[in-house]
Amino acid sequence: VQDYVKRGLCAALLQEGVEEPMRTKRFQDALRGLTITHYHKVAYRMWAALGYDKEEVEPEQIARLLAEEAGALEALARTDDSSIPRADTLLIDEGQDWGPRWLDSLRPLLRESPSITVAADPAQRIYGHAVPNPEAVFSGSPATVELNGTARVPAALLPALNTATSRWLGEVGPATELETAPQLSIGFANRPNPEAIWTTVSGPRQGQMPSHGKLNRSLVAAARAHVSQGANLSQIAALVPTHERGCNLETLFEDAGIATCSLCAENPEENRSPKHAFWRLDSRLKLSTVHSFKGWEADVVIVLISELPPSETERETLHVALTRTRAVVEVLAPPGGEDLPAWTHRT
């Protein structure tokens, strides 16, 4: 798959290159009995199996309501014609994003003495529904795998990322100190050399706040520079604070001749189609909010910060944004970060 990406082939050929090995017997055998889904999809499936309408319950309520229906769900799951899958093993990614009753609501689907393995990083908790301490949700699970450190971000970037997060995240509590994961090593062949770039964008006079328009234009210029330096467009992600900023940037990227695969929408709560169509192997640049890009990664990540010190919302997402990179991270921000050590500074 990486060969296809590096050669910059179009989306149709990328799709073909990925699907071909998926048709092999070995791959099909490996997937048999495996269900890959997200919490709310399986939760609403359980809700429908109970005979209720999806429109009758909001996403933030469904876990509690399902937990209250545990007896009925367990009886239903045991029937021969049940539409609810049962599992011997539960593998949970992004466990820090789980709500307090999510696991309780799924227990009727688990067989006797299930194996539960959770990957969670409390420093990546950016959703209001999530519990402050994921260990409280998953305590008592029979299987535990702990991965200390980051396996994605190259070690050369860690000093720069730590100085940025400690300066601004330290205002709201102890900042997480990123370390290399001793259990895993990732090769960086055919990727850009690791680099952390801090680009300061000033207003009309040196040191003044820039307009949103100038910040947006600077982000597009940064993306063009990375492409001209050899970065593959499909492996560049531009992360913005809001959907509105992303929608404004789509036109600027188009005018610059840069095709984007955008997750930004004018009404994100009502229109989820961009996220359903998003694919990391799409041959276009990825344009997204930090929340929507959570769980993804790219060789080159460009992060737009609207103000320094960051707003409360941007502080919460800063750690997540910086750790999406596999090689290069560039921050575009107003004046205020010019003295951060370990960064390559530009204006």
Side-chain angles (χ1 to χ4, degrees):
V1 170
Q2 288 300 321
D3 288 342
Y4 280 85
V5 174
K6 296 307 172 189
R7 285 157 56 191
L9 299 183
C10 68
L13 289 178
L14 285 171
Q15 181 85 36
E16 181 182 340
V18 172
E19 289 182 349
E20 184 177 350
M22 289 183 178
R23 289 191 287 266
T24 64
K25 182 178 185 301
R26 178 182 178 185
F27 188 88
Q28 295 300 322
D29 289 345
L31 287 184
R32 189 170 292 115
L34 175 66
T35 299
I36 302 175
T37 186
H38 57 81
Y39 170 77
H40 281 98
K41 185 174 182 177
V42 71
Y44 276 110
R45 185 175 175 181
M46 296 164 65
W47 188 249
L50 288 170
Y52 298 121
D53 190 331
K54 176 181 177 179
E55 304 300 327
E56 296 177 355
V57 58
E58 297 295 327
E60 60 269 16
Q61 300 173 330
I62 194 165
R64 174 182 59 81
L65 296 174
L66 286 174
E68 293 173 358
E69 298 274 6
L73 281 168
E74 188 163 357
L76 184 62
R78 292 176 181 274
T79 61
D80 294 335
D81 58 347
S82 172
S83 62
I84 305 176
R86 301 204 71 197
D88 302 299
T89 301
L90 184 61
L91 305 177
I92 297 173
D93 191 23
E94 306 286 357
Q96 73 280 348
D97 294 335
W98 277 47
R101 302 298 300 274
W102 286 21
L103 184 60
D104 289 341
S105 69
L106 295 183
R107 290 197 181 278
L109 309 187
L110 303 179
R111 300 184 191 275
E112 188 175 351
S113 301
S115 171
I116 302 176
T117 302
V118 182
D121 179 359
Q124 306 266 351
R125 176 185 174 270
I126 60 175
Y127 295 112
H129 64 250
V131 294
N133 181 7
E135 292 182 3
V137 174
F138 302 110
S139 61
S141 299
T144 302
V145 176
E146 184 174 352
L147 177 66
N148 295 315
T150 173
R152 175 192 301 119
V153 181
L157 299 187
L158 298 185
L161 270 55
N162 284 332
T163 60
T165 56
S166 63
R167 172 172 295 188
W168 287 297
L169 296 186
E171 298 177 7
V172 292
T176 300
E177 188 80 7
L178 287 170
E179 299 177 353
T180 300
Q183 301 96 323
L184 295 177
S185 61
I186 297 180
F188 286 89
N190 299 321
R191 291 180 182 165
N193 293 326
E195 187 177 15
I197 305 164
W198 192 279
T199 298
T200 299
V201 183
S202 295
R205 293 186 177 86
Q206 191 67 25
Q208 284 188 338
M209 285 289 293
S211 65
H212 280 190
K214 185 171 184 181
L215 278 168
N216 289 351
R217 293 191 298 273
S218 298
L219 185 147
V220 174
R224 292 183 65 178
H226 286 292
V227 173
S228 68
Q229 293 163 11
N232 187 291
L233 192 62
S234 72
Q235 287 300 311
I236 299 177
L239 304 184
V240 296
T242 65
H243 283 269
E244 181 183 5
R245 293 293 289 274
C247 291
N248 292 337
L249 275 159
E250 289 179 22
T251 301
L252 291 179
F253 275 115
E254 182 180 349
D255 292 343
I258 297 177
T260 62
C261 176
S262 177
L263 278 179
C264 299
E266 292 184 4
N267 299 299
E269 295 302 319
E270 300 175 9
N271 180 13
R272 297 186 177 273
S273 57
K275 193 158 190 176
H276 293 159
F278 186 74
W279 184 41
R280 72 181 181 90
L281 293 182
D282 187 290
S283 57
R284 299 168 292 177
L285 176 144
K286 310 304 183 293
L287 176 60
S288 173
T289 63
V290 179
H291 280 82
S292 295
F293 201 72
K294 193 171 181 297
W296 296 87
E297 57 189 29
D299 287 355
V300 178
V301 173
I302 308 172
V303 182
L304 183 65
I305 295 180
S306 299
E307 56 184 306
L308 286 181
S311 65
E312 182 178 353
T313 300
E314 286 191 296
R315 278 203 306 265
E316 291 176 351
T317 59
L318 180 60
H319 177 81
V320 176
L322 297 181
T323 55
R324 298 303 95 199
T325 183
R326 296 186 297 191
V328 176
V329 60
E330 179 168 3
V331 172
L332 286 99
E338 301 91 326
D339 61 335
L340 280 173
W343 288 81
T344 298
H345 286 277
R346 297 176 182 167
T347 57

